[in-house]
Amino acid sequence: MTTPSISHFIKTEFTATVFTGHTITHDVYKLGAGKPIVIIQELPGIGIETLRLAELFVEQGFEVYLPHLFGPLGKTNVVGNLARVFCLRKEFHLFQKNKTSPIVDWLKALCQKIKTDTGAPGVGTIGMCLTGNFAISLMADDSVLAAVSSQPSMPLGSQSDLHMSDADVEAIKHRIDNVAPVYAYRFEKDSMCTAKKFDAVEQAFNNDAHRVNLRTLPGKGHSVLTLDFVDEKNHPTRQALDEIFAYFTKELA
């Protein structure tokens, strides 16, 4: 098996103005052809595990868009990237409870552009760790048809809260009711995305209808689809990925 490389991707640049009035610009890397999905990087960065995840989706007939939001490419660095995100205060509000980060507006604009450019019915999104909540937030936009939130961890230091406003929650609920439920994943013993976080999601979205399929995997890992992913038949993480493949294939048809 060859080592994944960012050099295999097509690089473009995307700029959008967010609700704060700031203009945000980031590179976006594209690979494959087919149903479009946006994989939003996690805190450790776009390492070989994230690139491998993108390749697995391409093998399943998806066109992957990988926004580069922070950190070096091709390797992971949690401490260094956390420092970088702290410097991106106009884009990420790490500790903000009941409010969405401006970068979500940029991601919505990106999804809208992808839908227009590809002519697809809509886009699928995956958020992980620091960006886990973002995937759920993006469901409020008409361009997004399916979303997966893997180990959502924001706001940092507050497991019982969500990184989205009450108005956002209501908009997302309405959109899910008219499209399809979303999926969320975590490891049972994950200290960064605990049972309290899933309880908060349950209370916000499943209080009056079933909108989020919550999946808790056995074990102590954190990164369900990347750093702690095991590509073996019947392994919980591989079963989770296969479920996601089937979900996106159905909803993006």
Side-chain angles (χ1 to χ4, degrees):
M1 183 179 293
T2 59
T3 301
S5 173
I6 197 68
S7 65
H8 301 154
F9 291 68
I10 297 172
K11 177 183 174 182
T12 59
E13 186 179 84
F14 180 67
T15 300
T17 301
V18 300
F19 64 84
T20 58
H22 297 105
T23 297
I24 295 175
T25 300
H26 287 292
D27 292 334
V28 179
Y29 292 84
K30 183 181 77 169
L31 185 69
K35 298 173 286 293
I37 66 162
V38 176
I39 298 178
I40 315 167
Q41 72 174 94
E42 58 195 332
L43 180 60
I46 301 178
I48 59 172
E49 297 84 1
T50 301
L51 298 177
R52 177 74 69 197
L53 175 64
E55 289 183 347
L56 290 173
F57 270 97
V58 169
E59 290 172 6
Q60 292 292 320
F62 294 92
E63 183 175 75
V64 175
Y65 292 81
L66 192 59
H68 182 210
L69 305 181
F70 51 81
L73 290 165
K75 59 183 179 179
T76 57
N77 186 336
V78 175
V79 176
N81 284 350
L82 185 58
R84 292 181 179 95
V85 175
F86 270 114
C87 293
L88 296 172
R89 294 187 182 91
K90 293 180 180 179
E91 301 181 25
F92 293 87
H93 297 165
L94 298 181
F95 301 97
Q96 190 80 55
K97 301 176 184 178
N98 305 317
K99 190 174 181 180
T100 305
S101 283
I103 192 65
V104 174
D105 254 17
W106 183 87
L107 289 165
K108 286 181 180 178
L110 175 63
C111 290
Q112 291 164 4
K113 185 177 188 302
I114 292 170
K115 179 185 176 182
T116 299
D117 289 350
T118 62
V123 179
T125 63
I126 299 177
M128 303 178 288
C129 181
L130 193 73
T131 68
N133 284 278
F134 298 172
I136 298 178
S137 294
L138 289 170
M139 274 300 293
D141 195 81
D142 289 344
S143 64
V144 179
L145 292 177
V148 169
S149 175
S150 190
Q151 72 269 7
S153 304
M154 286 179 69
L156 297 185
S158 183
Q159 289 292 321
S160 298
D161 294 289
L162 297 181
H163 191 63
M164 56 190 77
S165 68
D166 291 341
D168 287 341
V169 170
E170 290 305 311
I172 296 163
K173 287 167 65 173
H174 178 74
R175 174 73 173 156
I176 290 174
D177 288 342
N178 287 279
V179 183
V182 303
Y183 282 79
Y185 297 85
R186 62 174 289 269
F187 281 106
E188 181 180 13
K189 297 181 181 180
D190 187 354
S191 61
M192 293 180 64
C193 177
T194 68
K196 287 184 178 180
K197 182 62 70 178
F198 268 27
D199 287 344
V201 174
E202 177 80 19
Q203 292 169 17
F205 292 101
N206 293 343
N207 59 335
D208 59 345
H210 184 78
R211 299 183 180 92
V212 182
N213 296 302
L214 299 166
R215 302 285 194 256
T216 300
L217 280 58
K220 194 180 178 180
H222 175 65
S223 298
V224 174
L225 300 175
T226 55
L227 296 172
D228 297 303
F229 175 75
V230 178
D231 195 6
E232 296 177 0
K233 185 178 180 181
N234 296 325
H235 191 277
T237 57
R238 180 68 218 199
Q239 290 176 330
L241 182 59
D242 287 339
E243 182 176 53
I244 293 168
F245 285 153
Y247 167 62
F248 280 142
T249 297
K250 177 185 177 184
E251 301 304 333
L252 300 181

